Amino acid sequence: MPWGSIEVEAKFTAGPDTEARLVALGAALAGSSSFRDLYYDTPDLRLTRADHWLRLRQGAGWELKCPPEPPAGGTGGVPEAAAQEPPAVATTYQELTSPRAIVGRLCGVLGVAPAPAWDQVPGAVAGLDLQEFASFGTRRRSYRLGGLRVDLDQADFGYAVAEVEALVGAQEEVPAALEEVLQLRRALGRDGATRVPGKMSVYLQRHRPRHYEALLRAGVL
Ligand code: TPP
């Protein structure tokens, strides 16, 4: 996987019985962790308006979550199954972790040529004038069931959200993964009728309302 993996995920609000249901379905607690995420953008918000999410996850390193690249000769990058879903019932993002891939993609979005000093992400962050716009901590309990992961997150600004997630290596695997993700969410008794916002949406709405409005206008949130 030269450019990282594709994450297919569906969010939900956990109930008091969610963990018991997970265990009853055969899921195993894979671990508990705490981490802090720092997110970066240009002062005029060009990354997030283009649905690109650059973060430093403390302890894990730099990550860029962004729309999957359209397959060569493909249909524009929206997998058919995902296109049939109502917006935000499930999302598909590429997760880049290699510095070269991250910097290459950032430069593509911003329309600049990579400089030699940007072979590591911090050099590019400085050179591209990227600034921190969000910082929050998360306490997470993770379960595993087959190839799926379920994360139960509690953010330190007072918001809890859960997600079912599958990681796949290629676009062609997205539709089947999406089906599995939605099936497990249904099995947990959490249907997709209401849209559950992610941590970032809630953070921006509460702490960066102008940024939030800009992303609503851009159709990103
Ligand atoms: N969530 C939904 C439901 N729709 C969106 N358009 C986004 C998120 C935009 N988005 C994509 S990646 C990202 C955001 C805000 C950064 C945070 O990703 P998330 O999966 O919420 O956090 P994680 O579980 O990786 O900590």
Side-chain angles (χ1 to χ4, degrees), residues 53-57 60-65 95-97 102:
W53 303 88
L54 175 67
R55 72 182 170 212
L56 177 60
R57 178 159 287 182
W62 290 92
E63 303 174 344
L64 180 64
K65 284 180 75 156
E95 269 192 350
L96 305 179
T97 52
I102 291 174

Side-chain angles (χ1 to χ4, degrees), residues 7 9-11 35 37 39 48 51-55 57 63-67 87-95 133 136 138 140 149 151 153 161-163 165 195-202 204 215 219-221:
E7 178 193 276
E9 66 167 47
K11 295 193 191 302
F35 49 85
D37 288 318
Y39 282 87
T48 55
D51 206 11
H52 282 60
W53 303 88
L54 175 67
R55 72 182 170 212
R57 178 159 287 182
E63 303 174 344
L64 180 64
K65 284 180 75 156
C66 52
V89 163
T91 58
T92 303
Y93 282 90
Q94 204 167 344
E95 269 192 350
F133 67 88
F136 53 82
T138 299
R140 169 172 287 180
R149 199 172 86 183
D151 290 331
D153 285 355
V161 65
E163 65 187 29
E165 176 181 300
R195 178 188 158 147
V196 176
K199 299 186 292 290
M200 178 59 79
S201 296
V202 173
L204 290 176
L215 296 186
V220 168
L221 289 179

Side-chain angles (χ1 to χ4, degrees), residues 70-77:
T75 53

Side-chain angles (χ1 to χ4, degrees), residues 52-138:
H52 282 60
W53 303 88
L54 175 67
R55 72 182 170 212
L56 177 60
R57 178 159 287 182
Q58 287 179 345
W62 290 92
E63 303 174 344
L64 180 64
K65 284 180 75 156
C66 52
E69 238 151 1
T75 53
V78 181
E80 238 173 76
Q84 287 160 8
E85 288 293 328
V89 163
T91 58
T92 303
Y93 282 90
Q94 204 167 344
E95 269 192 350
L96 305 179
T97 52
S98 103
R100 270 178 76 93
I102 291 174
V103 175
R105 189 75 182 247
L106 294 176
C107 288
V109 172
L110 299 176
V112 298
W118 301 354
D119 60 335
Q120 294 300 316
V121 178
V125 166
L128 292 166
D129 193 25
L130 303 183
Q131 291 166 14
E132 184 190 310
F133 67 88
S135 163
F136 53 82
T138 299

